[in-house]
Amino acid sequence: MAMLTKLQSLSLLLLLLLLLFTEPISGESPSGCGESEHETCRNSARALKYKIIAIASILVASILGVSLPLVLRQVPIFSPEKDLFTLVKAFASGVILATGYMHVLPDSFDDLRSDCLPDNPWKKFPFSTFVAMISALLTLMVESFAMSRFQKSNPESNNFVADENPSVRAKEGNEMVHFHAIEAGHQESTKLLKHRVVAQVLEMGIVVHSVVIGLSMGASDNPCTIRPLVIAICFHQFFEGMGLGGCIVQAEYGLRMKAILVFFFASTTPFGIALGIGISKVYSEDSPTALIVEGLLNAASAGLLQYMALVELLAADFLGPKLQGNAKLQLWAFVCVFGGAGLMSLMAKWA
């Protein structure tokens, strides 16, 4: 788990360094690049008012969304073993899936295929989908290494397989109970580790995208763009937070780790907006460097979110014993998935 925490910190630090050293738009950019958006509706004072509102409202929506599953965890009907928790998690998983496909990946396409970038190489090769694919594979690799490291650090958890000699168990029946207890404990430990890996990796993908979108909003002087984004991002953060909060509940972290995860999720977008306000004089969202950095980071975040939503959240639940053994619950879970994905897809009209 320390490896994942260091990876999160390193990713966020790299992101901030890249964006902070982004140069303003240069004279080599194509003429007319980015002019239509900035000239038709530009008002710095009005935009700043909306940004301040955005920081407060997005912070509140994020805290409510990610904290709701943690608070409801204390209510018996919302415990992870109950059907209601499964349905809420399915809805939130649909939200996360749509976030990757309908929000983050299209943003990457817009950035890397912008008229502000030269045709070669940015329009000659599908960098967005390529980076998303690599990101998904790297996510799988991180999970695989984390699980392997756990197996190696707990070799006694695998010994029961080699020791299950039928003749020995026949002579000493009480040992079989012991072996089953070891196996059950090993399975629970592996399952818990997997939930913790999912929670941290998922948060890493969300944090990267949140900084990018917050920075873009904070650096913009266009109130016509910012105003609809405030409400859209609030809804986005609330439902995305519910999905992350559900993963944190299943990870069974202590209070300190829960607080850290909640803090990073809730504060990242407001921090990005504040950072964008601070560097708005030297930062241009239409500069080639900014477009490339944001486009590549969005693509990486999209691949991570798509993998986590499909493999670790949806496939893990729908192919698991609980939903496989209950056709009615499985049907309602699919309704919730499509509901979450549909709602978040609709939000793409504004954000």
Side-chain angles (χ1 to χ4, degrees), residues 182-209:
I182 294 177
E183 180 179 4
H186 170 62
Q187 290 176 347
E188 286 301 316
S189 298
T190 303
K191 186 177 179 181
L192 181 60
L193 174 68
K194 194 170 187 64
H195 285 316
R196 291 185 172 182
V197 171
V198 168
Q200 291 205 28
V201 174
L202 179 60
E203 171 142 333
M204 183 171 64
I206 293 173
V207 162
V208 170
H209 174 60

mmCIF file of all heavy atoms in Angstrom, residues 182-209:
data_model
loop_
_atom_site.group_PDB
_atom_site.id
_atom_site.type_symbol
_atom_site.label_atom_id
_atom_site.label_comp_id
_atom_site.label_asym_id
_atom_site.label_seq_id
_atom_site.Cartn_x
_atom_site.Cartn_y
_atom_site.Cartn_z
ATOM 1 N N ILE A 182 -7.477 -21.207 7.613
ATOM 2 C CA ILE A 182 -6.385 -20.477 6.970
ATOM 3 C C ILE A 182 -6.815 -19.989 5.598
ATOM 4 O O ILE A 182 -6.563 -18.845 5.201
ATOM 5 C CB ILE A 182 -5.132 -21.355 6.853
ATOM 6 C CG1 ILE A 182 -4.577 -21.686 8.241
ATOM 7 C CG2 ILE A 182 -4.065 -20.666 6.010
ATOM 8 C CD1 ILE A 182 -3.383 -22.610 8.215
ATOM 9 N N GLU A 183 -7.474 -20.888 4.850
ATOM 10 C CA GLU A 183 -7.918 -20.524 3.499
ATOM 11 C C GLU A 183 -8.909 -19.369 3.538
ATOM 12 O O GLU A 183 -8.814 -18.418 2.757
ATOM 13 C CB GLU A 183 -8.565 -21.733 2.820
ATOM 14 C CG GLU A 183 -9.047 -21.435 1.405
ATOM 15 C CD GLU A 183 -9.653 -22.649 0.735
ATOM 16 O OE1 GLU A 183 -9.769 -23.700 1.399
ATOM 17 O OE2 GLU A 183 -10.009 -22.540 -0.441
ATOM 18 N N ALA A 184 -9.872 -19.454 4.457
ATOM 19 C CA ALA A 184 -10.868 -18.386 4.576
ATOM 20 C C ALA A 184 -10.203 -17.061 4.950
ATOM 21 O O ALA A 184 -10.530 -16.008 4.395
ATOM 22 C CB ALA A 184 -11.915 -18.763 5.625
ATOM 23 N N GLY A 185 -9.254 -17.125 5.881
ATOM 24 C CA GLY A 185 -8.539 -15.917 6.278
ATOM 25 C C GLY A 185 -7.731 -15.333 5.147
ATOM 26 O O GLY A 185 -7.681 -14.107 4.962
ATOM 27 N N HIS A 186 -7.096 -16.208 4.358
ATOM 28 C CA HIS A 186 -6.314 -15.752 3.220
ATOM 29 C C HIS A 186 -7.203 -15.075 2.176
ATOM 30 O O HIS A 186 -6.857 -14.024 1.617
ATOM 31 C CB HIS A 186 -5.589 -16.939 2.598
ATOM 32 C CG HIS A 186 -4.944 -16.628 1.280
ATOM 33 N ND1 HIS A 186 -3.941 -15.694 1.148
ATOM 34 C CD2 HIS A 186 -5.168 -17.114 0.031
ATOM 35 C CE1 HIS A 186 -3.571 -15.622 -0.125
ATOM 36 N NE2 HIS A 186 -4.316 -16.473 -0.815
ATOM 37 N N GLN A 187 -8.364 -15.671 1.909
ATOM 38 C CA GLN A 187 -9.278 -15.103 0.929
ATOM 39 C C GLN A 187 -9.791 -13.740 1.370
ATOM 40 O O GLN A 187 -9.908 -12.810 0.554
ATOM 41 C CB GLN A 187 -10.446 -16.065 0.694
ATOM 42 C CG GLN A 187 -10.047 -17.330 -0.059
ATOM 43 C CD GLN A 187 -11.203 -18.302 -0.186
ATOM 44 O OE1 GLN A 187 -12.228 -18.165 0.482
ATOM 45 N NE2 GLN A 187 -11.039 -19.292 -1.045
ATOM 46 N N GLU A 188 -10.090 -13.610 2.662
ATOM 47 C CA GLU A 188 -10.558 -12.326 3.175
ATOM 48 C C GLU A 188 -9.466 -11.259 3.094
ATOM 49 O O GLU A 188 -9.720 -10.114 2.757
ATOM 50 C CB GLU A 188 -11.040 -12.484 4.623
ATOM 51 C CG GLU A 188 -12.367 -13.190 4.757
ATOM 52 C CD GLU A 188 -13.478 -12.476 4.027
ATOM 53 O OE1 GLU A 188 -13.562 -11.236 4.139
ATOM 54 O OE2 GLU A 188 -14.274 -13.143 3.336
ATOM 55 N N SER A 189 -8.225 -11.662 3.403
ATOM 56 C CA SER A 189 -7.105 -10.722 3.335
ATOM 57 C C SER A 189 -6.867 -10.263 1.906
ATOM 58 O O SER A 189 -6.630 -9.077 1.645
ATOM 59 C CB SER A 189 -5.833 -11.370 3.896
ATOM 60 O OG SER A 189 -5.994 -11.707 5.259
ATOM 61 N N THR A 190 -6.923 -11.210 0.964
ATOM 62 C CA THR A 190 -6.730 -10.872 -0.445
ATOM 63 C C THR A 190 -7.847 -9.962 -0.942
ATOM 64 O O THR A 190 -7.607 -8.993 -1.679
ATOM 65 C CB THR A 190 -6.690 -12.160 -1.297
ATOM 66 O OG1 THR A 190 -5.644 -13.007 -0.814
ATOM 67 C CG2 THR A 190 -6.430 -11.831 -2.760
ATOM 68 N N LYS A 191 -9.071 -10.258 -0.538
ATOM 69 C CA LYS A 191 -10.217 -9.442 -0.944
ATOM 70 C C LYS A 191 -10.107 -8.029 -0.394
ATOM 71 O O LYS A 191 -10.375 -7.046 -1.104
ATOM 72 C CB LYS A 191 -11.504 -10.108 -0.442
ATOM 73 C CG LYS A 191 -12.785 -9.438 -0.916
ATOM 74 C CD LYS A 191 -13.992 -10.222 -0.419
ATOM 75 C CE LYS A 191 -15.293 -9.560 -0.864
ATOM 76 N NZ LYS A 191 -16.475 -10.317 -0.369
ATOM 77 N N LEU A 192 -9.700 -7.915 0.868
ATOM 78 C CA LEU A 192 -9.533 -6.600 1.481
ATOM 79 C C LEU A 192 -8.434 -5.811 0.793
ATOM 80 O O LEU A 192 -8.589 -4.612 0.521
ATOM 81 C CB LEU A 192 -9.214 -6.761 2.969
ATOM 82 C CG LEU A 192 -9.030 -5.462 3.769
ATOM 83 C CD1 LEU A 192 -10.297 -4.616 3.719
ATOM 84 C CD2 LEU A 192 -8.640 -5.764 5.200
ATOM 85 N N LEU A 193 -7.315 -6.472 0.479
ATOM 86 C CA LEU A 193 -6.226 -5.800 -0.226
ATOM 87 C C LEU A 193 -6.700 -5.290 -1.569
ATOM 88 O O LEU A 193 -6.389 -4.163 -1.971
ATOM 89 C CB LEU A 193 -5.045 -6.758 -0.407
ATOM 90 C CG LEU A 193 -3.902 -6.201 -1.267
ATOM 91 C CD1 LEU A 193 -3.203 -5.052 -0.542
ATOM 92 C CD2 LEU A 193 -2.902 -7.280 -1.630
ATOM 93 N N LYS A 194 -7.467 -6.093 -2.269
ATOM 94 C CA LYS A 194 -7.967 -5.698 -3.583
ATOM 95 C C LYS A 194 -8.855 -4.466 -3.473
ATOM 96 O O LYS A 194 -8.755 -3.538 -4.283
ATOM 97 C CB LYS A 194 -8.736 -6.853 -4.213
ATOM 98 C CG LYS A 194 -8.994 -6.671 -5.699
ATOM 99 C CD LYS A 194 -9.530 -7.952 -6.297
ATOM 100 C CE LYS A 194 -9.634 -7.841 -7.810
ATOM 101 N NZ LYS A 194 -8.329 -7.666 -8.458
ATOM 102 N N HIS A 195 -9.717 -4.434 -2.464
ATOM 103 C CA HIS A 195 -10.571 -3.266 -2.257
ATOM 104 C C HIS A 195 -9.725 -2.019 -1.982
ATOM 105 O O HIS A 195 -10.063 -0.916 -2.447
ATOM 106 C CB HIS A 195 -11.522 -3.509 -1.080
ATOM 107 C CG HIS A 195 -12.652 -4.439 -1.398
ATOM 108 N ND1 HIS A 195 -13.376 -4.363 -2.571
ATOM 109 C CD2 HIS A 195 -13.197 -5.470 -0.688
ATOM 110 C CE1 HIS A 195 -14.326 -5.290 -2.576
ATOM 111 N NE2 HIS A 195 -14.222 -5.984 -1.454
ATOM 112 N N ARG A 196 -8.647 -2.192 -1.248
ATOM 113 C CA ARG A 196 -7.802 -1.040 -0.919
ATOM 114 C C ARG A 196 -7.021 -0.552 -2.145
ATOM 115 O O ARG A 196 -6.848 0.660 -2.333
ATOM 116 C CB ARG A 196 -6.844 -1.414 0.221
ATOM 117 C CG ARG A 196 -7.580 -1.624 1.533
ATOM 118 C CD ARG A 196 -6.669 -1.877 2.712
ATOM 119 N NE ARG A 196 -7.436 -1.885 3.954
ATOM 120 C CZ ARG A 196 -6.916 -2.043 5.155
ATOM 121 N NH1 ARG A 196 -5.600 -2.220 5.284
ATOM 122 N NH2 ARG A 196 -7.684 -2.027 6.233
ATOM 123 N N VAL A 197 -6.565 -1.481 -2.956
ATOM 124 C CA VAL A 197 -5.885 -1.100 -4.194
ATOM 125 C C VAL A 197 -6.854 -0.349 -5.102
ATOM 126 O O VAL A 197 -6.519 0.689 -5.684
ATOM 127 C CB VAL A 197 -5.327 -2.351 -4.912
ATOM 128 C CG1 VAL A 197 -4.829 -1.977 -6.303
ATOM 129 C CG2 VAL A 197 -4.193 -2.963 -4.103
ATOM 130 N N VAL A 198 -8.082 -0.861 -5.220
ATOM 131 C CA VAL A 198 -9.096 -0.221 -6.058
ATOM 132 C C VAL A 198 -9.367 1.198 -5.581
ATOM 133 O O VAL A 198 -9.423 2.136 -6.388
ATOM 134 C CB VAL A 198 -10.394 -1.049 -6.058
ATOM 135 C CG1 VAL A 198 -11.546 -0.254 -6.665
ATOM 136 C CG2 VAL A 198 -10.203 -2.347 -6.823
ATOM 137 N N ALA A 199 -9.539 1.385 -4.277
ATOM 138 C CA ALA A 199 -9.854 2.706 -3.730
ATOM 139 C C ALA A 199 -8.739 3.708 -4.031
ATOM 140 O O ALA A 199 -9.002 4.841 -4.464
ATOM 141 C CB ALA A 199 -10.086 2.610 -2.221
ATOM 142 N N GLN A 200 -7.483 3.299 -3.847
ATOM 143 C CA GLN A 200 -6.373 4.232 -4.050
ATOM 144 C C GLN A 200 -6.117 4.522 -5.519
ATOM 145 O O GLN A 200 -5.880 5.666 -5.913
ATOM 146 C CB GLN A 200 -5.106 3.677 -3.385
ATOM 147 C CG GLN A 200 -5.169 3.677 -1.874
ATOM 148 C CD GLN A 200 -3.796 3.727 -1.234
ATOM 149 O OE1 GLN A 200 -2.843 4.249 -1.796
ATOM 150 N NE2 GLN A 200 -3.684 3.175 -0.052
ATOM 151 N N VAL A 201 -6.168 3.494 -6.357
ATOM 152 C CA VAL A 201 -5.925 3.706 -7.788
ATOM 153 C C VAL A 201 -7.048 4.538 -8.396
ATOM 154 O O VAL A 201 -6.814 5.424 -9.228
ATOM 155 C CB VAL A 201 -5.786 2.359 -8.529
ATOM 156 C CG1 VAL A 201 -5.679 2.578 -10.030
ATOM 157 C CG2 VAL A 201 -4.555 1.611 -8.027
ATOM 158 N N LEU A 202 -8.297 4.255 -7.991
ATOM 159 C CA LEU A 202 -9.428 5.031 -8.489
ATOM 160 C C LEU A 202 -9.294 6.492 -8.094
ATOM 161 O O LEU A 202 -9.515 7.390 -8.905
ATOM 162 C CB LEU A 202 -10.732 4.446 -7.935
ATOM 163 C CG LEU A 202 -12.021 5.160 -8.338
ATOM 164 C CD1 LEU A 202 -12.193 5.144 -9.854
ATOM 165 C CD2 LEU A 202 -13.225 4.507 -7.666
ATOM 166 N N GLU A 203 -8.915 6.737 -6.865
ATOM 167 C CA GLU A 203 -8.741 8.128 -6.434
ATOM 168 C C GLU A 203 -7.629 8.814 -7.221
ATOM 169 O O GLU A 203 -7.727 9.996 -7.537
ATOM 170 C CB GLU A 203 -8.441 8.196 -4.929
ATOM 171 C CG GLU A 203 -8.049 9.576 -4.469
ATOM 172 C CD GLU A 203 -8.598 9.936 -3.099
ATOM 173 O OE1 GLU A 203 -9.640 9.401 -2.698
ATOM 174 O OE2 GLU A 203 -7.979 10.771 -2.441
ATOM 175 N N MET A 204 -6.559 8.089 -7.549
ATOM 176 C CA MET A 204 -5.467 8.677 -8.307
ATOM 177 C C MET A 204 -5.963 9.181 -9.666
ATOM 178 O O MET A 204 -5.629 10.287 -10.096
ATOM 179 C CB MET A 204 -4.348 7.658 -8.500
ATOM 180 C CG MET A 204 -3.131 8.207 -9.235
ATOM 181 S SD MET A 204 -1.752 7.046 -9.198
ATOM 182 C CE MET A 204 -2.440 5.673 -10.136
ATOM 183 N N GLY A 205 -6.787 8.368 -10.353
ATOM 184 C CA GLY A 205 -7.321 8.784 -11.640
ATOM 185 C C GLY A 205 -8.239 9.986 -11.522
ATOM 186 O O GLY A 205 -8.205 10.899 -12.349
ATOM 187 N N ILE A 206 -9.062 9.997 -10.474
ATOM 188 C CA ILE A 206 -9.979 11.116 -10.267
ATOM 189 C C ILE A 206 -9.217 12.392 -9.941
ATOM 190 O O ILE A 206 -9.539 13.479 -10.441
ATOM 191 C CB ILE A 206 -10.977 10.774 -9.139
ATOM 192 C CG1 ILE A 206 -11.898 9.632 -9.577
ATOM 193 C CG2 ILE A 206 -11.794 11.997 -8.753
ATOM 194 C CD1 ILE A 206 -12.801 9.111 -8.467
ATOM 195 N N VAL A 207 -8.194 12.284 -9.106
ATOM 196 C CA VAL A 207 -7.415 13.455 -8.694
ATOM 197 C C VAL A 207 -6.732 14.120 -9.888
ATOM 198 O O VAL A 207 -6.740 15.349 -10.021
ATOM 199 C CB VAL A 207 -6.371 13.045 -7.632
ATOM 200 C CG1 VAL A 207 -5.284 14.099 -7.509
ATOM 201 C CG2 VAL A 207 -7.045 12.835 -6.280
ATOM 202 N N VAL A 208 -6.148 13.325 -10.773
ATOM 203 C CA VAL A 208 -5.457 13.879 -11.942
ATOM 204 C C VAL A 208 -6.420 14.698 -12.784
ATOM 205 O O VAL A 208 -6.143 15.843 -13.162
ATOM 206 C CB VAL A 208 -4.821 12.758 -12.787
ATOM 207 C CG1 VAL A 208 -4.320 13.306 -14.118
ATOM 208 C CG2 VAL A 208 -3.665 12.112 -12.028
ATOM 209 N N HIS A 209 -7.586 14.127 -13.093
ATOM 210 C CA HIS A 209 -8.557 14.847 -13.917
ATOM 211 C C HIS A 209 -9.100 16.072 -13.186
ATOM 212 O O HIS A 209 -9.328 17.118 -13.811
ATOM 213 C CB HIS A 209 -9.708 13.905 -14.292
ATOM 214 C CG HIS A 209 -10.828 14.584 -15.013
ATOM 215 N ND1 HIS A 209 -10.646 15.236 -16.212
ATOM 216 C CD2 HIS A 209 -12.146 14.720 -14.703
ATOM 217 C CE1 HIS A 209 -11.803 15.744 -16.618
ATOM 218 N NE2 HIS A 209 -12.722 15.443 -15.720
#
